[in-house]
Amino acid sequence: MTIELRHLRAFLAIAEEGTITRAAARLHIGQPALSRTLRQLESHLGVRLVDRSTHHLELTAAGRTFRDRAAAALAAVDTALDPRALPALPLRLGHPWAALGEHTVPLLRRWDHEHPDVPLELRRIDDRTAGLTRGKVDVALLRGDVTDSDLVTQLLLEEERVAVVPADSDLADRSSLTLADLAAWPIALNTVAGTTTLDLWPACARPGTTIEVTNTDEWLTAIAVGRAVGISTSATPRLHRHPMIAYLPLTDAPPVPLLLAWRRGTPTHPAVPALVRLTRELVAGH
């Protein structure tokens, strides 16, 4: 027979109350059930724990020894299962690039101030959903269209597109650029999580060369060394300043939606709704 916590709690109640009647009332069970539980425990241990020869139950010598062991065991279990004794589960916020742009630091600071007991971890994951569909994060900041039906999305804002060019190129001397200005250069395309495709250009005026990269670091390097130009959003200059890169307004490309996304159904972390509310408040306030 397997001994369970209920056997220990039953024995301790009997030891403390002194009678089966009072112990059963305390545990909200019937007296016959409590007596059976005690017999099961004694049978498992192979000793008598309670002397039933008198009206008032007395613990045997073995019972007194076991009482201390049972109390220590239950105390250890109660401590282990007390959620207040555990560090809070971190809330994981994923993004493939640029996070929340200029709002990133204010978001992290406000969260730390308003939710000091729940660590908010910002994780960059080079993936179309920033690890959300793979369970690596609890909520994610995504740009562009999100078509996965298993995800719920909340539009936060729309970001203007910017041209990203080598700082020592002739393009960097301009006050703004158009798609046509970039077409003569190779275009750096992040094929994993980027929002730029050749469909931005008219079919008859698309760039002839592309350089495919798989993450933001590779994309920035290709532009900085002069191998390509790129297109991003207004959030990128806030988080990715580089002495060899210039960011310029791109006047004829549509904006990019910035979305907050989480998995449909019960959130994987109880603090997801609070993060959604705070992010919306922060963006709306600006």
Side-chain angles (χ1 to χ4, degrees):
M1 187 194 73
T2 301
I3 293 300
E4 302 171 358
L5 293 178
R6 63 184 178 88
H7 291 89
L8 302 185
R9 297 191 192 282
F11 168 71
L12 288 178
I14 294 171
E16 293 169 4
E17 296 296 338
T19 70
I20 293 289
T21 301
R22 289 200 299 267
R26 170 175 157 181
L27 297 173
H28 304 291
I29 62 175
Q31 295 181 43
L34 181 57
S35 296
R36 285 195 302 272
T37 300
L38 176 60
R39 287 196 299 271
Q40 290 170 350
L41 179 61
E42 290 177 325
S43 175
H44 175 81
L45 295 173
V47 295
R48 182 174 291 276
L49 299 174
V50 177
D51 184 354
R52 303 170 180 79
S53 61
T54 62
H55 178 70
H56 184 79
L57 298 182
E58 297 286 347
L59 297 184
T60 64
R64 290 191 294 272
T65 299
F66 185 71
R67 176 184 57 194
D68 296 337
R69 291 166 52 190
L74 282 178
V77 170
D78 290 341
T79 298
L81 297 180
D82 184 357
R84 297 169 298 179
L86 295 174
L89 186 69
L91 176 58
R92 304 165 299 171
L93 174 60
H95 71 104
W97 51 275
L100 198 56
E102 64 180 316
H103 304 295
T104 303
V105 172
L107 173 65
L108 296 176
R109 286 180 174 175
R110 278 195 56 181
W111 182 270
D112 289 348
H113 176 72
E114 298 180 16
H115 303 276
D117 297 330
V118 182
L120 177 59
E121 296 182 354
L122 185 65
R123 300 185 179 184
R124 194 191 106 183
I125 299 178
D126 297 312
D127 179 302
R128 178 63 62 182
T129 65
L132 188 57
T133 56
R134 293 185 289 158
K136 292 190 172 184
V137 298
D138 306 296
V139 62
L141 291 159
L142 306 176
R143 288 175 172 83
D145 296 329
V146 176
T147 58
D148 193 319
S149 61
D150 291 331
L151 301 182
V152 179
T153 61
Q154 173 72 56
L155 176 65
L156 297 176
L157 50 85
E158 291 192 328
E159 297 174 337
E160 297 298 324
R161 276 191 164 97
V162 296
V164 190
V165 303
D168 57 356
S169 67
D170 293 340
L171 294 176
D173 296 330
R174 306 274 292 275
S175 60
S176 64
L177 294 170
T178 65
L179 290 169
D181 294 327
L182 303 179
W185 281 71
I187 306 297
L189 300 178
N190 183 336
T191 58
V192 174
T195 57
T196 301
T197 70
L198 293 183
D199 291 336
L200 279 176
W201 285 264
C204 60
R206 289 175 179 167
T209 306
T210 61
I211 294 179
E212 295 187 353
V213 299
T214 59
N215 59 59
T216 301
D217 296 330
E218 294 175 2
W219 180 82
L220 290 168
T221 299
I223 298 170
V225 301
R227 296 174 182 170
V229 297
I231 297 175
S232 189
T233 77
S234 55
T236 301
R238 304 283 184 175
L239 296 186
H240 297 289
R241 298 183 184 277
H242 194 294
M244 294 304 298
I245 287 178
Y247 296 96
L248 300 169
L250 189 61
T251 60
D252 59 347
V256 176
L258 172 61
L259 310 170
L260 195 62
W262 59 96
R263 275 167 283 181
R264 192 175 300 280
T266 303
T268 56
H269 193 292
V272 167
L275 180 62
V276 173
R277 288 193 298 271
L278 180 57
T279 305
R280 293 178 62 185
E281 291 173 8
L282 188 65
V283 171
H286 290 71

